[in-house]
Amino acid sequence: MHIGAAKQSYAADEAIFTTNTQKTWLVALAAALATLPLFAGDYWLLIACLVAINVISAAGLMVLTGYTGQVSLGHAAFMGVGAYAAAWLAAKGAPFWLAIPFAGFVAAAVGAVFGVPSLRVKGLYLALTTIAASFILHFIFFNWASVTGGALGLNVEPASIFGVKLISNSHLYWLAMPLAWASVWCATNLFRTRVGRAFIAIRDRDISAEVLGIELFRYKLISFALASFYAGVAGAVWVYLFRVVTPESFRLIDSIFFVAAIIVGGLGSVRGAIFGAVFMTLVPELLKLGVAMLEPYYPGVVQLLSPVRIIVFGGLIVGFLIFEPLGLNETWRRVRHRFALWPFRT
Amino acid sequence: MQEAAHAPILSVENVALSFGGVKALRDVSLTVAKDSITSLVGPNGAGKTSLFNSISGFYRPQQGRIVYEGADITHVPTPKRAALGLARTFQNIALFRGMTVLDNIKLGRHTHMKTGVVDALFYYGRPKREEMQLRAEVEEKIIDFLEIDHIRHAPVAALPYGLQKRVELARALAMQPKLLMLDEPVAGMNREETEDMARFILDVREEWGVTILMVEHDMRLVMDISDHVVVLNFGQVIASGLPADVQHNAEVERAYFGSGDYSALRQRPRAQAGAGVA
Amino acid sequence: MNLLDFVEFSLSGLSVGAIYALTGVGFVLVYKATRVINFAIGEFMMIGAYVFFGIAAKATMPTWAAILAALVVTALVGGLAERLIFRRLIGESAISVFMVTIGLSSIIIGIVEIIWTADPQSLPEFLPKEPFFIPTGFGEAFMPSKNGWGFIIAAVVVAAIIVVFRYWRGGVALRATAADSQAAYSVGINVPGVFSFAWVLGALTAAGAGILVGSIAGISSAMGAIGLSVLVVVIVGGLDSILGALVGGLLVGWLEAMASMTLGAEYKQLATFVVLMLMLLIKPYGLFGTHDIERL
């Protein structure tokens, strides 16, 4: 509950950030992110880039699964499509600011094609078609060697702007982070318009949505295409960061990662996508740190890092779905609500 | 109470609908006059909701036509019927539980809006103008009219049943309908809520110029406000006409009260009512 | 390739298919009783195979006892999963529960990797070694002993399950719970008990199938991927149909073998997924599944 925040115009009521407190925090966050490269080490900048990439991808998946209700376990495969598309175009000499949108559009087209089953099947059955899509795409990545380089994949020259090569992590940070902000902003805008409302209607009660004039198939395909566009862009930035893409870069387990991220973050809100992406990216890193700290006391424990990561990953999914099904977004809201009138009791 | 002076807005012609072996509708024909309030009544299982669903487009009748404003819409897909001005509410409330009241109502205007995906992603400019215009209209015409301003930001899942039904009506109004189909608008409501809803329905007809077709079980409401009543039983029209005429129709009585000595059956409640009044 | 090759590939496919059918029957039992789609079915197979491996390697137990122990342990895991996890999720959306099974599969893979590492292993021998020679009109078709015995064992177990469920009260209770759990509750059926039982039985069949598969193809921490083939089997057959699991299992097993024969082994998985896509587009409820109609 916001005190002293009565709105005086409809525009004010429908703004994304409605109170001065919110706007202040937003500016503070922007400032913190802008100055991060100044004091963060190279490793943490890499993590920051990964977070940004995952935020873009998770935001896209949130639109498709969280808001439109179409479960997709093929999201990472569409990132792969974007990565390959960007790498392919870059190899032809295109600059990154062409390759990245190109990757988005190619991924969107592929995503729309694999969204066609949503006309016929829903829910779990749709999820299974997306798993099949993931495998079919992996097969194509592996076997269409003339375009994708087969098992070896494709290498990418660093992005360059005005002749300056963007090699270091801080360079890529300035590519990834603004794109992440833009993605989040656009996704939020969507739900202030009729397009976003149509998506939610399809999720909640698609038959009623039809009566209201929403063409289900058209909007489901738009949702798939849009989510895949985001995935493609994320994949393209990814390939400029790591400079190589192979068929093993984007597997089913990575798609599961993103679904886990949006569940952990909280289905149905863009903020949830941010929380989920940040959390799921940082947890393995914290685990790595923790295990490294234990190494002097329990030598050889580092070998357990990989299986422990897998267990924690699965455990997070199971744990959140049992104990906090509405995700971190809900935890955030509860905490904020508790302190909304602090120090007064509610 | 006006009888139709001009062509009917909706005309159902010899519609037959069956599911496997079950014949939900057999040779049903009815007309709905413009600006009228027409009620569709009948015992449970008579086929009323099936008829509504056929008019909405969810079921395709095996035979017959549905003519709306002079055009045959029998094969028009459901989403396109909304743009023609056909709105409807549902028996079990079909609001979108993940949205607020305001968003639900705004959704009603979907077909008449123009914002596309690319515009929507960037919001400022055309989409924002459209949204603000929509918001102003919805607030002034619908929310004020239906007296739901105090709950506009409430999630619909948190509302009591009566208010949810009102929000559903609001959403249907946002569709700028010419024909509004209400499926049991006062089901589960007490006397006061029913009177409120009756007042809204009459106001909708008067101020919005909307024709109303409603399915209802509450006979007092039906008899009080309808211009025309159609009675269905076992998928067939067994009577249609003015409320008073239908009320005393022998077939209708048989449908509701069963065969047998219903004249004696009718004496008893009359006698009791008479004794109560005296 | 000639007719004999075709017969041999078909036999191989059918024998794997019988094992799929066995797992599929367990899967269908869990789905029928609890409406849970268990993505972790492959990992339950893995538990059975690895526990057998682990016990046979360490302890000095006779092989049959090790197999029994593996079945019991997996059944326990299934029962615990139901009691601790899935019972808390009753009423949640099907997608949420499906995601939990995905999470569960990761947890199981991680635990297996910690105990036994991710390296491939092979199971101790416990089946007779002589291969089968099936006489056909054009020569004798060769079938490796493990395939042949796998088929026989799977067929016997499936038949036993079907017979038991037809005539035993527990089977009737399961079918009642599957049809309408609330109604079953109100006539006194111990519905939570049925849930546990379904999961235990599902885990048992998966464990047995896992041991059979493991003895044919070896074991590794990635062997759970076979669960995806089982998923295709139950989609093809219909999620709630035991007959469907049978037919679907044999069909998918045979189709995989045919893909292997005509296109090469690397196309096997692709073939499986193309079948899945086609099935979901043409007949999403499978050959024998029941179609839930949405009421308006």
Side-chain angles (χ1 to χ4, degrees):
Chain A
M1 180 177 119
H2 299 299
I3 308 178
K7 314 296 181 307
Q8 309 214 326
S9 71
Y10 295 133
D13 199 31
E14 303 218 357
I16 299 180
F17 295 107
T18 49
T19 66
N20 285 330
T21 331
Q22 282 180 336
K23 292 180 187 158
T24 317
W25 279 110
L26 182 69
V27 170
L29 177 66
L33 289 176
T35 52
L36 190 70
L38 298 175
F39 52 84
D42 207 47
Y43 173 70
W44 286 104
L45 277 176
L46 176 67
I47 301 300
C49 287
L50 263 180
V51 167
I53 291 171
N54 287 341
V55 164
I56 299 173
S57 192
L61 186 59
M62 185 61 83
V63 170
L64 178 62
T65 299
Y67 282 100
T68 320
Q70 311 297 302
V71 182
S72 171
L73 281 163
H75 202 63
F78 299 127
M79 284 177 76
V81 171
Y84 272 103
W88 179 82
L89 197 66
K92 300 234 176 310
F96 72 92
W97 44 268
L98 270 182
I100 294 183
F102 176 73
F105 283 111
V106 171
V110 173
V113 166
F114 281 105
V116 167
S118 67
L119 174 63
R120 288 276 291 161
V121 291
K122 310 209 272 192
L124 228 25
Y125 294 97
L126 183 65
L128 292 170
T129 64
T130 58
I131 295 181
S134 176
F135 276 92
I136 293 175
L137 281 170
H138 177 262
F139 183 84
I140 295 177
F141 293 155
F142 199 84
N143 289 299
W144 195 14
S146 55
V147 165
T148 65
L152 290 175
L154 295 176
N155 291 309
V156 173
E157 285 300 312
S160 62
I161 186 166
F162 304 127
V164 177
K165 284 192 193 282
L166 305 178
I167 302 188
S168 75
N169 290 336
S170 71
H171 289 152
L172 266 313
Y173 178 80
W174 285 111
L175 178 62
M177 192 54 75
L179 273 177
W181 272 74
S183 314
V184 166
W185 183 71
C186 286
T188 311
N189 280 338
L190 211 50
F191 297 97
R192 300 203 273 163
T193 68
R194 73 165 188 152
V195 177
R197 287 194 290 266
F199 286 160
I200 301 178
I202 294 178
R203 176 193 73 195
D204 283 348
R205 221 181 265 262
D206 51 2
I207 298 181
S208 308
E210 271 202 305
V211 171
L212 292 170
I214 296 171
E215 281 152 328
L216 293 185
F217 190 42
R218 182 155 166 253
Y219 276 92
K220 283 184 190 176
L221 276 190
I222 291 178
S223 190
F224 266 98
L226 195 55
S228 307
F229 184 89
Y230 272 64
V233 167
V237 177
W238 188 97
V239 87
Y240 273 110
L241 180 63
F242 292 107
R243 308 257 298 285
V244 67
V245 60
T246 72
E248 305 310 308
S249 308
F250 296 102
R251 307 291 328 259
L252 179 63
I253 188 79
D254 303 299
S255 292
I256 295 177
F257 172 89
F258 283 103
V259 177
I262 64 172
I263 291 179
V264 163
L267 283 171
S269 73
V270 177
R271 195 167 60 189
I274 301 175
F275 285 155
V278 170
F279 188 78
M280 294 295 285
T281 315
L282 290 181
V283 161
E285 300 308 315
L286 292 173
L287 257 163
K288 219 190 281 186
L289 275 177
V291 167
M293 283 200 301
L294 283 175
E295 178 71 13
Y297 305 101
Y298 300 97
V301 76
V302 195
Q303 250 125 0
L304 291 181
L305 179 62
S306 174
V308 166
R309 260 181 42 186
I310 300 176
I311 295 181
V312 167
F313 177 65
L316 279 175
I317 298 177
V318 175
F320 265 91
L321 281 169
I322 296 182
F323 298 111
E324 185 78 280
L326 295 173
L328 289 170
N329 191 39
E330 180 63 18
T331 318
W332 172 261
R333 279 173 33 141
R334 270 210 307 267
V335 168
R336 268 190 48 198
H337 187 77
R338 180 81 89 67
F339 289 102
L341 292 175
W342 185 82
F344 301 104
R345 290 181 66 172
T346 40
Chain B
M1 293 210 196
Q2 350 157 352
E3 284 297 342
H6 19 248
I9 189 173
L10 179 77
S11 165
V12 175
E13 297 171 6
N14 307 106
V15 160
L17 178 73
S18 35
F19 303 107
V22 178
K23 289 199 173 59
L25 297 171
R26 310 159 203 247
D27 197 32
V28 170
S29 296
L30 64 89
T31 54
V32 176
K34 212 160 174 332
D35 293 332
S36 70
I37 296 181
T38 304
S39 291
L40 192 57
V41 301
N44 277 319
K48 310 187 292 291
T49 302
S50 297
L51 182 58
F52 258 34
N53 287 339
S54 302
I55 300 174
S56 285
F58 297 126
Y59 301 153
R60 292 293 150 85
Q62 279 80 13
Q63 283 169 4
R65 313 196 298 158
I66 299 177
V67 178
Y68 173 76
E69 290 203 311
D72 183 349
I73 62 164
T74 324
H75 298 292
V76 172
T78 306
K80 297 224 174 5
R81 300 190 191 198
L84 298 172
L86 256 165
R88 118 177 232 184
T89 65
F90 290 84
Q91 203 172 353
N92 304 312
I93 299 179
L95 289 174
F96 302 113
R97 298 172 72 84
M99 293 197 264
T100 59
V101 167
L102 195 53
D103 281 337
N104 264 281
I105 300 174
K106 285 185 189 174
L107 237 172
R109 190 58 64 84
H110 183 95
T111 27
H112 302 298
M113 292 174 77
K114 293 193 178 28
T115 307
V117 181
V118 180
D119 279 342
L121 286 169
F122 297 103
Y123 190 68
Y124 290 95
R126 218 170 26 206
K128 180 162 181 188
R129 278 200 299 275
E130 209 181 31
E131 284 295 312
M132 291 300 120
Q133 193 186 4
L134 172 64
R135 176 77 190 263
E137 250 187 76
V138 164
E139 290 275 353
E140 285 150 28
K141 296 234 186 87
I142 299 178
I143 292 186
D144 267 353
F145 172 63
L146 287 173
E147 296 161 19
I148 46 179
D149 42 301
H150 57 296
I151 51 167
R152 62 162 81 74
H153 286 304
V156 298
L159 294 176
Y161 182 80
L163 279 176
Q164 286 190 18
K165 277 211 119 70
R166 224 188 280 180
V167 172
E168 226 195 352
L169 179 61
R171 188 179 66 185
L173 288 178
M175 289 173 77
Q176 294 175 318
K178 296 189 193 136
L179 173 63
L180 178 56
M181 302 199 292
L182 301 170
D183 199 342
E184 302 200 25
V186 299
M189 287 189 181
N190 62 28
R191 191 96 150 237
E192 197 183 314
E193 291 168 327
T194 304
E195 283 173 7
D196 281 341
M197 187 57 93
R199 177 165 52 91
F200 287 135
I201 294 175
L202 287 168
D203 283 344
V204 162
R205 196 258 299 263
E206 294 303 327
E207 292 174 26
W208 290 60
V210 176
T211 310
I212 311 265
L213 171 64
M214 74 177 180
V215 166
E216 230 335 300
H217 283 292
D218 185 328
M219 282 306 153
R220 288 181 73 244
L221 176 72
V222 167
M223 295 304 162
D224 269 351
I225 70 173
S226 310
D227 301 319
H228 187 76
V229 177
V230 176
V231 186
L232 277 186
N233 194 19
F234 291 119
Q236 286 177 303
V237 175
I238 61 174
S240 93
L242 293 171
D245 299 337
V246 162
Q247 203 171 19
H248 299 292
N249 181 304
E251 278 290 324
V252 173
E253 291 188 339
R254 210 176 357 254
Y256 274 97
F257 299 125
S259 52
D261 193 355
Y262 50 84
S263 55
L265 216 61
R266 270 168 59 199
Q267 303 294 2
R268 255 193 295 150
R270 287 235 182 96
Q272 282 171 356
V277 165
Chain C
M1 121 252 349
N2 55 39
L3 219 42
L4 198 61
D5 284 341
F6 171 76
V7 171
E8 285 183 354
F9 267 99
S10 294
L11 285 174
S12 160
L14 287 173
S15 60
V16 172
I19 302 176
Y20 284 163
L22 176 63
T23 328
V25 166
F27 182 103
V28 164
L29 284 172
V30 168
Y31 179 79
K32 268 172 92 84
T34 65
R35 284 274 173 276
V36 174
I37 297 192
N38 185 9
F39 187 83
I41 189 82
E43 278 69 30
F44 276 95
M45 293 169 78
M46 186 165 75
I47 296 178
Y50 264 96
V51 173
F52 171 49
F53 170 74
I55 294 184
K58 296 284 179 62
T60 52
M61 283 164 96
T63 318
W64 63 264
I67 293 182
L68 204 59
L71 294 177
V72 166
V73 167
T74 317
L76 260 174
V77 172
L80 278 174
E82 190 278 326
R83 192 69 191 72
L84 297 176
I85 301 178
F86 295 102
R87 196 159 308 175
R88 292 187 210 233
L89 294 172
I90 293 181
E92 295 288 327
S93 75
I95 304 287
S96 297
V97 178
F98 183 64
M99 283 305 298
V100 168
T101 63
I102 291 182
L104 185 61
S105 76
S106 285
I107 296 177
I108 296 175
I109 294 178
I111 294 179
V112 162
E113 275 190 15
I114 288 187
I115 305 179
W116 289 288
T117 81
D119 303 325
Q121 318 272 8
S122 41
L123 288 181
E125 302 286 332
F126 61 94
L127 291 167
K129 292 234 183 24
E130 309 84 49
F132 292 74
F133 288 99
I134 320 275
T136 69
F138 31 82
E140 286 196 325
F142 166 81
M143 182 150 79
S145 85
K146 290 180 187 162
N147 290 53
W149 280 107
F151 183 91
I152 295 174
I153 296 174
V156 165
V157 174
V158 169
I161 292 178
I162 292 180
V163 163
V164 160
F165 272 89
R166 212 86 201 41
Y167 298 109
W168 176 48
R169 272 179 67 195
V172 177
L174 188 99
R175 281 188 279 145
T177 311
D180 187 339
S181 54
Q182 292 228 352
Y185 230 147
S186 43
V187 297
I189 293 178
N190 178 7
V191 169
V194 170
F195 288 166
S196 292
F197 178 67
W199 271 91
V200 163
L201 194 54
L204 267 175
T205 55
I211 294 176
L212 290 172
V213 164
S215 65
I216 296 179
I219 62 175
S220 78
S221 69
M223 72 181 272
I226 202 175
L228 287 162
S229 292
V230 176
L231 220 46
V232 179
V233 165
V234 293
I235 293 289
V236 166
L239 283 173
D240 59 346
S241 164
I242 295 196
L243 176 63
L246 261 180
V247 172
L250 292 171
L251 189 60
V252 169
W254 182 77
L255 280 171
E256 282 187 353
M258 287 299 106
S260 211
M261 179 178 84
T262 54
L263 302 165
E266 61 275 14
Y267 281 81
K268 211 160 71 150
Q269 213 170 38
L270 182 74
T272 312
F273 284 104
V274 169
V275 168
L276 177 67
M277 275 292 228
L278 285 174
M279 209 61 206
L280 285 169
L281 290 174
I282 301 173
K283 239 184 175 297
Y285 295 97
L287 296 168
F288 300 98
T290 43
H291 183 146
D292 284 329
I293 304 190
E294 253 179 289
R295 290 226 84 208
L296 289 164

